[in-house]
Amino acid sequence: MTADLYRLAMAVLQPGYAGTSVPDWMRKALGQGLGGVVLFARNAPSAQVVQQIRAENPAAVVAVDEEGGVVTRFEVSSGSSFPGNRALGVVDDVALTERVARQIGRMLARADVTLDYAPAADVNANPANPVIGVRSFGPTADLVARHTVAYVNGIQGAGVAACAKHFPGHGDTVTDSHLELPTVHASRDTLFARDLPPFQAAIAAGVRSVMCGHLLVPALDPDSPATLSRTILTELLRGELGFDGMLVTDAIEMRAVAARFTPGEITARALAAGVDAVCVGLTTEQSLYEIRDAIVAAVRSGSLSEERLAEAGARVHALASWYGEQAALRAADSDSDADDADAHVGLDAARAALTVTGSATLTRGPLVVEVNTRLSQAVDPGTPAGVTAALTALLPDTARVQLEPGGPLPRLGPGLAAGAGLGSGAAQRPVVLVVHDAARHPWVQDRVAQAVQERPDVIIVDTGIPDAPSGAAHLATHGISRVSAQAVAEWLTS
């Protein structure tokens, strides 16, 4: 075993970093064979940042979570230009989903990003799910499968690799794997009928990558999370389902696995189970080399075969090579008339997804009460709901009150002026209550009921999976994005 083993160990890692420029130690690691980098909103991802990476390793796999909707890295400050999976599933037009994904792919292609950690192919079978929700196309296998295929075709049609996640399916969980290990209690028959079909469809469509979730699935493996399970990753995904592309982990600092093992142990075990690339969401120079050394130590001890490590590295290289082969396609696609023609496809999709019960028209600026809920850690904390900004753009005298999770609702009837500092005549001001996933939060349902009681003319906007309609008008966007908020503002002022 030589220095080549260290280089091979580096090839299977996809770490992230802090800051808005590529740190010197990561540039050095790229020169030493680091196989990839994952970019987050904190890195202010752009073509310039990717150029810094490629200057050190032109074949590096540059990855990003750009799902559209609530999970965006390139558009986190403004909100996404695309409404997200649940909205697309509500519209249920696979041609539209492919067009949206194609535009996301074009955006990433312009920045020279190799791999989009999308789409989420999870079937959101459990309404109480705290981390998937609107990130899923919907609650049934056939709906999710056909839109997963459309999304994969759109992203890869733009010359960027897609990644179906979170295998074998994160939809039937009540726990966020960022915080602890979720368990999927379904039977093997249910898993094959409900959770696996979208992944099977993605594989048949030629998806270049699959991401495994940090999930305990006793019907498949009662002892190990999927990330560390050879039964799930090699026997099922590779053997039964026939996937031969690059298999990447979800971020290994997530508590589902990080509470049990060190980063080095997780990495070595995942590689032995069948993983090809390990996503480490946030690293330092020290932690990166500790993980590399743990891989080398595992090979030397025999717990990870050098052949398995070489196979993993080859799959990473194959994905990078595929991306290189799409250069002409990316160039032609970015120059095509379709790029300009579809520039507003995200807004079109958001308008089509908007579900309205009741009626209301705003002719003056409302008081927007944002009933904030804590979104999952998959969502960057800077991601705006956007409804207030969209209404303010059309009605400049719009005002806002923000409620922290569990906070009391301000007085919305007589006394509104004193409670919100809105001046005379405030009690007649329209009220828009913005909520998220009301059906999943009893305290949010209480605030909605209180608002409707105080102001029967209240307008409810739900940006998540909605509860039963209430208020004078109820608008469900089925996702958080800039275009979803714009669709709401347009409807309310038309």
Side-chain angles (χ1 to χ4, degrees), residues 29-199:
L30 285 160
Q32 295 171 339
L34 181 64
V37 176
V38 56
L39 298 175
F40 292 89
R42 65 174 179 259
N43 305 127
S46 65
Q48 291 70 34
V49 171
V50 178
Q51 286 172 3
Q52 294 174 22
I53 294 168
R54 297 211 183 279
E56 307 299 335
N57 181 358
V61 173
V62 181
V64 66
D65 284 289
E66 193 64 47
E67 299 177 15
V70 73
V71 177
T72 177
R73 306 309 186 210
F74 273 75
E75 298 188 298
V76 70
S77 61
S78 63
S80 179
S81 301
F82 310 97
N85 285 2
R86 182 73 173 211
L88 295 171
V90 167
V91 179
D92 197 13
D93 178 344
V94 291
L96 180 63
T97 294
E98 183 169 345
R99 287 170 56 206
V100 166
R102 185 70 169 263
Q103 281 298 100
I104 293 173
R106 287 177 175 131
M107 178 174 69
L108 300 183
R110 285 192 287 269
D112 203 12
V113 169
T114 315
L115 172 64
D116 188 5
Y117 288 154
D122 310 289
V123 177
N124 196 57
N126 193 326
N129 196 311
V131 67
I132 300 302
V134 293
R135 299 169 64 199
S136 166
F137 291 109
T140 62
D142 57 343
L143 174 70
V144 175
R146 63 178 174 266
H147 286 278
T148 294
V149 168
Y151 196 108
V152 168
N153 289 341
I155 291 287
Q156 295 189 170
V160 174
C163 179
K165 64 185 184 185
H166 308 80
F167 186 83
H170 207 321
D172 188 13
T173 64
V174 293
T175 303
D176 184 347
S177 51
H178 292 86
L179 306 176
E180 56 184 301
L181 179 64
T183 299
V184 179
H185 295 285
S187 69
R188 184 179 177 89
D189 287 348
T190 296
L191 293 168
F192 271 80
R194 182 192 65 193
D195 297 276
L196 296 184
F199 293 98

Side-chain angles (χ1 to χ4, degrees), residues 339-421:
D339 189 4
D340 291 334
D342 253 5
H344 301 293
V345 67
L347 180 57
D348 293 343
R351 288 167 174 158
L354 187 65
T355 305
V356 180
T357 303
S359 63
T361 302
L362 296 177
T363 57
R364 62 172 296 192
L367 171 65
V368 180
V369 181
E370 297 179 355
V371 182
N372 294 323
T373 52
R374 291 188 177 92
L375 302 175
S376 82
Q377 292 188 32
V379 181
D380 189 276
T383 305
V387 173
T388 304
L391 283 170
T392 301
L394 299 177
L395 300 168
D397 59 333
T398 295
R400 177 175 68 174
V401 173
Q402 295 176 293
L403 271 62
E404 289 305 308
L409 198 69
R411 194 167 185 177
L412 302 178
L416 172 60

